[in-house]
Amino acid sequence: MTSLIHHETLRDPSRVQLTDDGRLKHFLTTEGLSAELLTEILDTADSFISTQERAVKKVPLLRGKTVVNLFFENSTRTRSTFELAAKRLSADILNLDIARSATSKGETLMDTLWNLEAMYSDMFVVRHADSGAAHFIAEQVTPNVAIINAGDGRHAHPTQAMLDMLTIRRHKEGIAGKVVAIVGDILHSRVARSQIYALRTLGAAEVRVIGPGTLLPKDIEALGAKPFYDMKQGLADCDVVIMLRLQKERMQNALLPSEGEFFKLYGLTEAKLACARPDAIVMHPGPINRGVEIESAVADGPQSVILNQVSYGIAVRMAVMAMAMSGQQSQNSSEEMA
Ligand code: NCD
């Protein structure tokens, strides 16, 4: 994996995803984005939650634009909420079925992209198994085409992180000062990395990661998260508990004794959840594996906001798409004037 990582770019993501005057033009990572910009995404998403509660859910912000969903990896929630988000912004959306596309006949990633660009596409939503794939594409597409990262390898999943921030903000009255624990397979999780950057920038009091040593990345403290190997200690006084799936498809070696052993130590049960604050919320990006990282009594219980996260995903994706498209247009018009 990681064959597409451009270290230069990944060290300075702002250069690629922001316009000269600091507006979003692609959305590749939460790393390096200011609290103001992250808050603007959340505020814009909040306004789209109210438009979706109306009888007519559509707004015309992307009317006449063409969005292409380009998923090289499987997805249920992310792909369908991006599709609904594009439709609710009045865009046309093309869902490419990669399994049936020419990629399986040996076409390169950029050749696929350039062909789709030739169909007058305005935005690509990209999920790819290689870390850095979305950056790589964003650096090479035609200037007015926006790239939204829907998950690249184990690197980043920024829209998931922002829908998680919106969930915390709406259910816990803000992110500043909150203690948040992320539990399980942190090592392979692009979601956890994107969440940690966003939580630190938005002023969470403490970000904890809980799991076996084999599933916690070595650089986790440098990212601003505090490692815990004991679930009960890690959950003590938490406001938010985020569970993650064991991402076996990304595990190259045997990193776990067994699923049963993992559940015993790190699976979220009602008994373990009792160590967190009584009003703590339980989150999970999905797909959940019942009885592996979370028991059904908790997943379906009163503290779970897992399905709310899915609903907020549409509003967050609408916000990011609308902001990136508007950033592209402003960049274009300032270049024309220059
Ligand atoms: C996550 C992903 O794809 O990274 N899922 C998601 O987008 N909702 C997490 C996972 O696959 O476990």
Side-chain angles (χ1 to χ4, degrees):
M1 60 150 269
T2 68
S3 56
L4 289 174
I5 279 198
H6 281 199
H7 291 284
E8 192 80 355
T9 313
L10 293 179
R11 236 182 284 131
D12 184 15
S14 309
R15 189 175 60 76
V16 183
Q17 62 183 350
L18 299 181
T19 61
D20 297 339
D21 57 355
R23 301 177 57 183
L24 208 61
K25 63 173 178 172
H26 302 293
F27 191 39
L28 307 175
T29 172
T30 51
E31 183 184 357
L33 293 183
S34 66
E36 290 69 31
L37 190 57
L38 296 181
T39 304
E40 186 189 343
I41 295 174
L42 297 179
D43 291 345
T44 310
D46 260 331
S47 74
F48 287 133
I49 288 182
S50 49
T51 64
Q52 287 185 90
E53 285 162 354
R54 294 188 201 145
V56 177
K57 298 183 177 62
K58 284 197 183 200
V59 291
L61 285 167
L62 256 61
R63 189 162 56 202
K65 301 291 180 199
T66 300
V67 177
V68 181
N69 250 348
L70 202 54
F71 278 60
F72 294 89
E73 269 191 347
N74 296 338
S75 171
T76 306
R77 278 152 293 272
T78 306
R79 179 173 152 156
S80 46
T81 51
F82 264 114
E83 180 173 350
L84 283 174
K87 286 180 170 160
R88 289 186 189 162
L89 290 167
S90 309
D92 292 317
I93 175 131
L94 178 66
N95 282 300
L96 211 70
D97 189 346
I98 299 293
R100 289 165 204 254
S101 75
T103 308
S104 58
K105 298 184 190 168
E107 188 172 69
T108 68
L109 176 59
M110 282 318 296
D111 278 326
T112 305
L113 237 331
W114 282 317
N115 278 271
L116 291 162
E117 248 192 56
M119 301 174 200
Y120 303 100
S121 305
D122 299 288
M123 181 179 289
F124 291 98
V125 178
V126 184
R127 170 170 284 195
H128 198 283
D130 283 328
S131 301
H135 280 83
F136 176 76
I137 295 168
E139 285 195 302
Q140 304 198 45
V141 281
T142 310
N144 50 2
V145 176
I147 304 298
I148 311 290
N149 186 3
D152 61 325
R154 56 165 101 169
H155 173 243
H157 193 350
T159 58
Q160 177 67 45
M162 292 314 291
L163 75 88
D164 296 331
M165 297 308 112
L166 188 66
T167 308
I168 300 172
R169 201 170 85 157
R170 289 179 73 93
H171 289 265
K172 300 304 301 174
E173 284 145 28
I175 293 160
K178 298 294 181 302
V179 179
V180 181
I182 311 172
V183 186
D185 183 2
I186 315 289
L187 182 66
H188 302 98
S189 179
R190 51 196 177 201
V191 175
R193 282 185 175 268
S194 290
Q195 286 169 337
I196 293 168
Y197 288 122
L199 286 165
R200 298 303 299 160
T201 306
L202 292 170
E206 210 179 307
V207 184
R208 302 175 181 176
V209 289
I210 311 175
T214 47
L215 294 181
L216 299 186
K218 305 251 172 308
D219 65 345
I220 201 71
E221 282 177 273
L223 293 184
K226 196 168 163 193
F228 284 82
Y229 306 99
D230 179 85
M231 184 77 161
K232 289 189 175 172
Q233 277 174 17
L235 290 183
D237 297 325
C238 279
D239 299 289
V240 178
V241 184
I242 303 175
M243 300 305 299
L244 297 174
R245 183 177 65 89
L246 291 174
Q247 289 148 81
K248 290 202 200 111
E249 72 278 18
R250 300 202 174 88
M251 292 185 194
Q252 274 142 7
N253 310 309
L255 296 172
L256 282 171
S258 73
E259 279 185 1
E261 187 70 7
F262 180 81
F263 182 75
K264 218 164 85 199
L265 295 172
Y266 300 104
L268 190 62
T269 56
E270 285 178 315
K272 291 192 196 112
L273 182 57
C275 300
R277 285 188 197 276
D279 60 350
I281 54 169
V282 175
M283 297 170 49
H284 194 309
I288 64 171
N289 285 162
R290 292 169 186 266
V292 179
E293 74 274 2
I294 190 163
E295 71 174 8
S296 287
V298 176
D300 308 327
Q303 288 168 265
S304 168
V305 292
I306 295 172
L307 293 179
N308 301 77
Q309 289 173 260
V310 178
S311 308
Y312 302 148
I314 304 171
V316 162
R317 289 173 174 131
M318 287 173 78
V320 166
M321 289 167 125
M323 286 170 65
M325 195 43 70
S326 143
Q328 288 287 351
Q329 280 160 355
S330 77
Q331 175 97 337
N332 244 14
S333 49
S334 62
E335 272 163 17
E336 271 161 25
M337 275 159 61

